Amino acid sequence: MNTIRSRFSAKMAAENTRKNNLESGGFWPFLRRWIPTSTDHIINAEKRLLSLVKTPYVQEQVNIGSGPPDSRVRWFRSSSNEPRFINTVTFDAKEDSPTLVMVHGYAASQGFFFRNFDALASRFRVVAIDQLGWGGSSRPDFTCKSTEETEAWFIDSFEEWRKAKNLSNFILLGHSFGGYIASKYALKHPEHVQHLVLVGSAGFSSETERITKFLSTWKGSILNQIWESNLTPQTIIRGLGPWGPDLVHRYTSARFVKYSTGELLTESESRLLTDYVYHTLAAKASGELCLKYIFSFGAFAKSPLLHSASEWKVPTTFIYGFNDWMNYEGALEARKHMKVPCEIIRVPQAGHFVFIENPSAFHSAVFYACRRFLSPDPDSESLPEGLTSA
């Protein structure tokens, strides 16, 4: 009887141990081994990447609260009032320098601007952020179910960040998807934005007849179903587990070294950027799940900014690389309807990541775009050599 009781006790002890392991996060150590990343990994990778930058900076997690009272979207599923944070870097600048706020694009984070911080900080007070749900910022469960809710997720969280930082009268620069969000923010809060700089901005083109015809085919239908299922590139990176870093390395090497048309990354830059990109992509899915609510298949905006061009209240400069897959003709069309100053600058030897591929020309384009804040005689400034005005 004692033997039976002993065996039963041992079995119960083993079962309790198994339950305790699960309850104490026994599954998560395995998951962390499979997907070797965390918020700490992201911040540390960011520090390593920004070690290439000579200008001193301050990194902080800006508390934006648990969601503004009038927001249509709560930034978390929990019933608690858990605060959220926006990862922010602010670079030292000369006194009275104009403030330049930089917003990254989809599947990116503020560290993508690592080649630009030194040059831009020489003339601006540069503040760069990770949008909510990206990079080293908080990654709440993404509960949005519409385009309107999704836009509010990013616009309202940015506005709460602005309030927390006590910023106003700043130049707002957004790249790609970040350009779309910057534009939507400026439409809602034009009183805070002095000038918009939209770099390879998404959202200015509507779905073309060619795409519509393609979607009617069986191939187009399958691809559209995949798009609508919200299968993101990050999902694939996570699914590959410990092989994910190698795939990211292949991507960054091909994208910014082998097939780059401009200034190639050095070996050190490539290695540090690869490490940073992996950790930002492999972390918990959050902001990335906006994709199908903001864009239809082909990256065409469901709420095109072209339709809002006549409501524009902020002077705007578009910057596109010559080889940017994001079509600048949408910006040309939008300019026809704008009632504010608008110019379009094209940068040679650069594609969608113009600020990485040809940083020198990109800096010249930004300085020229913001000449009325930087020059005592802006009207005498001419377009820098090599740049083209569209």
Side-chain angles (χ1 to χ4, degrees), residues 84-350:
R84 297 298 174 184
F85 299 87
I86 296 294
N87 186 42
T88 306
V89 291
T90 303
F91 291 84
D92 287 1
K94 297 174 184 176
E95 193 174 349
D96 298 328
S97 295
T99 298
L100 174 68
V101 176
M102 304 181 74
V103 182
H104 62 82
Y106 186 86
S109 301
Q110 54 83 9
F112 272 62
F113 296 116
F114 76 97
R115 276 188 149 187
N116 317 116
F117 289 140
D118 278 332
L120 296 180
S122 69
R123 305 190 72 179
F124 298 100
R125 178 193 175 213
V126 175
V127 186
I129 67 165
D130 290 335
Q131 297 191 70
L132 183 67
W134 297 97
S137 292
S138 297
R139 293 177 177 243
D141 293 335
F142 190 82
T143 58
C144 301
K145 299 298 180 184
S146 68
T147 299
E148 184 181 37
E149 282 187 345
T150 304
E151 289 180 354
W153 162 288
F154 293 104
I155 295 168
D156 291 350
S157 60
F158 184 86
E159 172 61 4
E160 293 306 299
W161 171 84
R162 183 202 65 79
K163 291 176 183 176
K165 289 290 289 179
N166 194 29
L167 288 176
S168 191
N169 297 322
F170 53 87
I171 300 161
L172 183 55
L173 181 151
H175 171 243
S176 195
F177 169 71
Y180 178 88
I181 296 302
S183 297
K184 289 287 185 175
Y185 176 82
L187 282 165
K188 187 174 181 179
H189 300 285
E191 67 277 11
H192 301 305
V193 183
Q194 293 176 302
H195 195 88
L196 267 177
V197 180
L198 304 178
V199 184
S201 183
F204 283 89
S205 299
S206 302
E207 186 174 296
T208 63
E209 183 178 346
R210 181 175 63 85
I211 289 293
T212 302
K213 287 182 178 179
F214 174 71
L215 292 177
S216 66
T217 66
W218 68 269
K219 289 182 180 179
S221 178
I222 291 173
L223 289 174
N224 190 55
Q225 286 181 29
I226 293 173
W227 181 277
E228 291 297 324
S229 73
N230 238 354
L231 177 66
T232 66
Q234 293 92 321
T235 304
I236 298 171
I237 298 298
R238 294 186 198 101
L240 288 172
W243 294 278
D246 182 62
L247 179 62
V248 174
H249 172 70
R250 291 171 183 267
Y251 165 75
T252 55
S253 295
R255 181 65 183 80
F256 300 117
V257 179
K258 187 175 180 181
Y259 297 113
S260 177
T261 57
E263 188 178 323
L264 301 182
L265 293 179
T266 65
E267 183 178 340
S268 176
E269 287 177 323
S270 180
R271 175 173 49 80
L272 293 173
L273 180 61
T274 294
D275 180 51
Y276 174 74
V277 171
Y278 171 73
H279 289 299
T280 59
L281 294 183
K284 175 189 172 182
S286 181
E288 73 192 64
L289 299 176
C290 71
L291 197 59
K292 76 170 187 176
Y293 298 108
I294 297 289
F295 302 109
S296 57
F297 178 77
F300 293 103
K302 293 189 174 183
S303 175
L305 290 165
L306 181 59
H307 297 169
S308 305
S310 62
E311 303 167 27
W312 230 253
K313 296 180 177 65
V314 178
T316 300
T317 301
F318 291 91
I319 299 175
Y320 288 91
F322 272 19
N323 302 311
D324 196 335
W325 64 270
M326 199 66 76
N327 197 332
Y328 77 97
E329 292 181 358
L332 285 172
E333 187 62 29
R335 183 170 61 182
K336 296 176 183 178
H337 304 281
M338 290 183 181
K339 301 179 180 66
V340 295
C342 175
E343 56 191 1
I344 302 169
I345 300 173
R346 301 186 69 200
V347 177
Q349 293 185 298

Side-chain angles (χ1 to χ4, degrees), residues 348-361:
Q349 293 185 298
H352 191 54
F353 289 93
V354 53
F355 46 89
I356 293 179
E357 296 168 315
N358 193 346
S360 298

